[in-house]
Amino acid sequence: MMRMKTKPTAATFNGGCEPVAREWELRPGGMLVQKRHPDSDQITIPPAPTIRVKVKYGSIYHQININSQATFGELKKMLTGPTGLHHKDQKLIYKDKERDSNVFLDMVGVKDKSKMALMEDPISQEKRLMEMRKNAKMEKASKSISEISFEVDRLAGQVSAYESIISKGGKVNEKDVVNLIELLMNQLLKLDGIMADGDVKLQRKMQVRRVQKYVETLDMLKIKNSMPDNNGGGEMEMQSQHKHTNGQRVAPIQERYYNQQQQQSSAADGVVVTTKWETFDSFPALVPVPSTSTSTANNSISPPKFPWEFFD
């Protein structure tokens, strides 16, 4: 872009007396125009004047210097120091009408040396005190939940340790498990006694669910810890079944057959082997039956007798 200066002309005189040099620039289309300066587009706005207002509070007048375009809320904040009232507890009266904190001073005609009255608003003060109590209560509840959460974190480490031992087949003292459950239940009672709203209530609910989960885990671990070893129980059961099949106990139908043989062999002296054929609807297993007849002479034991049966 090409720039050039021109000689002063009649159109370039400042007030028609002194010539003023102007800069020109060539646009891409070939048009020669006067160069614009960035500062020439800015519009300077003069600052708003500062006014002095008189505010009466009780029997005392307070003079406040403030911008004429400020709001009544800003004026209330400036009056907090001289009057000792919180800006939310103040009520400004201008021209016999209470003014809202968002209203601008110049919009309602407040000028220099204007007068207005300041009054204490008991309703706003009560609301502010209630809000302060509520915030303090929520802060205390949040702190209590944080302390309980820290304690639950410590107890959760013990729950994980017991779970690891029992899951690997180990045993722990049942009293330790019961004591840990009681400690968690105490934390649960503390959480139930906390009254909260909003985010604090959500935090309390999350901690309650967390503690309940740990208690349920410990209940399952307690049951598993009290159960005997599976391998030992299986061996005892197998030994019991082995004794049952070694002839210690026989079926009632077999006992009846043994009694008949004993009656036939009771009259004979010596070893008597008898055989009786019977037919049964069922299929009982062949069980060796020890002989009850003994020889009076040599006190010898007769060989075992087997029940022979016909099967369909």
Side-chain angles (χ1 to χ4, degrees):
M1 186 179 297
M2 184 174 59
R3 298 178 181 177
M4 58 183 298
K5 292 184 180 181
T6 60
K7 296 181 180 181
T9 61
T12 60
F13 280 91
N14 185 8
C17 298
E18 296 180 359
V20 179
R22 295 182 178 179
E23 294 183 0
W24 299 84
E25 61 182 0
L26 185 63
R27 295 295 177 88
M31 182 180 296
L32 187 64
V33 297
Q34 183 179 354
K35 182 182 177 182
R36 281 188 170 185
H37 294 280
D39 297 338
S40 62
D41 296 336
Q42 296 181 357
I43 301 175
T44 58
I45 301 175
T50 300
I51 60 177
R52 182 176 59 180
V53 296
K54 291 183 178 182
V55 181
K56 182 181 180 182
Y57 176 60
S59 59
I60 303 175
Y61 281 91
H62 300 278
Q63 294 185 0
I64 304 297
N65 296 326
I66 190 171
N67 192 309
S68 61
Q69 295 180 356
T71 61
F72 280 90
E74 296 176 3
L75 180 58
K76 289 179 180 180
K77 292 180 180 179
M78 296 179 68
L79 290 169
T80 301
T83 61
L85 290 178
H86 195 273
H87 64 92
K88 292 184 178 180
D89 300 340
Q90 298 177 13
K91 183 164 55 173
L92 285 173
I93 308 297
Y94 180 67
K95 292 184 179 180
D96 300 331
K97 185 177 180 181
E98 181 183 357
R99 304 297 176 174
D100 189 80
S101 298
N102 297 324
V103 176
F104 292 93
L105 298 176
D106 58 346
M107 297 297 294
V108 295
V110 178
K111 300 179 181 179
D112 189 28
K113 298 181 181 180
S114 295
K115 296 180 181 180
M116 60 185 70
L118 174 63
M119 298 177 62
E120 184 177 0
D121 189 359
I123 298 177
S124 300
Q125 185 178 14
E126 185 178 357
K127 290 181 179 179
R128 185 177 62 85
L129 293 176
M130 292 178 62
E131 185 177 358
M132 290 177 60
R133 294 192 192 100
K134 183 178 179 181
N135 293 337
K137 187 177 180 180
M138 292 299 102
E139 184 177 357
K140 183 179 179 181
S142 179
K143 184 178 180 180
S144 300
I145 293 175
S146 299
E147 294 177 355
I148 294 174
S149 177
F150 180 78
E151 182 66 18
V152 172
D153 290 340
R154 187 181 65 84
L155 298 176
Q158 300 182 22
V159 175
S160 300
Y162 290 162
E163 187 176 8
S164 177
I165 294 173
I166 297 176
S167 62
K168 293 179 181 179
K171 298 291 183 180
V172 298
N173 192 356
E174 185 177 355
K175 185 177 180 181
D176 295 338
V177 179
V178 174
N179 291 337
L180 186 56
I181 293 176
E182 291 180 355
L183 292 175
L184 288 171
M185 292 301 296
N186 290 336
Q187 301 302 321
L188 191 61
L189 292 175
K190 292 180 181 179
L191 289 171
D192 291 340
I194 296 176
M195 303 300 295
D197 295 326
D199 295 337
V200 181
K201 184 178 180 180
L202 181 61
Q203 294 177 6
R204 183 182 67 85
K205 189 175 182 180
M206 292 175 60
Q207 292 299 325
V208 168
R209 291 180 179 177
R210 183 184 177 200
V211 175
Q212 289 175 348
K213 181 180 178 181
Y214 288 143
V215 172
E216 292 175 359
T217 302
L218 288 174
D219 288 337
M220 297 300 297
L221 293 177
K222 182 180 176 183
I223 296 174
K224 188 175 181 180
N225 185 63
S226 61
M227 293 176 62
D229 192 1
N230 293 333
N231 294 332
E235 292 178 358
M236 294 177 62
E237 185 177 358
M238 292 178 62
Q239 291 177 1
S240 177
Q241 293 178 357
H242 181 69
K243 290 180 180 179
H244 181 74
T245 56
N246 279 341
Q248 299 297 328
R249 296 180 61 186
V250 293
I253 192 170
Q254 293 175 343
E255 291 180 357
R256 185 182 62 181
Y257 180 74
Y258 297 154
N259 293 334
Q260 293 177 358
Q261 287 186 336
Q262 289 176 1
Q263 292 176 1
Q264 293 179 2
S265 61
S266 62
D269 187 11
V271 178
V272 179
V273 179
T274 59
T275 305
K276 186 173 181 62
W277 308 91
E278 294 183 6
T279 303
F280 300 95
D281 294 334
S282 60
F283 301 94
L286 295 178
V287 180
V289 181
S291 176
T292 57
S293 61
T294 57
S295 176
T296 58
N298 54 8
N299 197 20
S300 61
I301 301 175
S302 62
K305 296 174 292 181
F306 297 89
W308 302 95
E309 304 169 358
F310 288 105
F311 300 95
D312 293 337

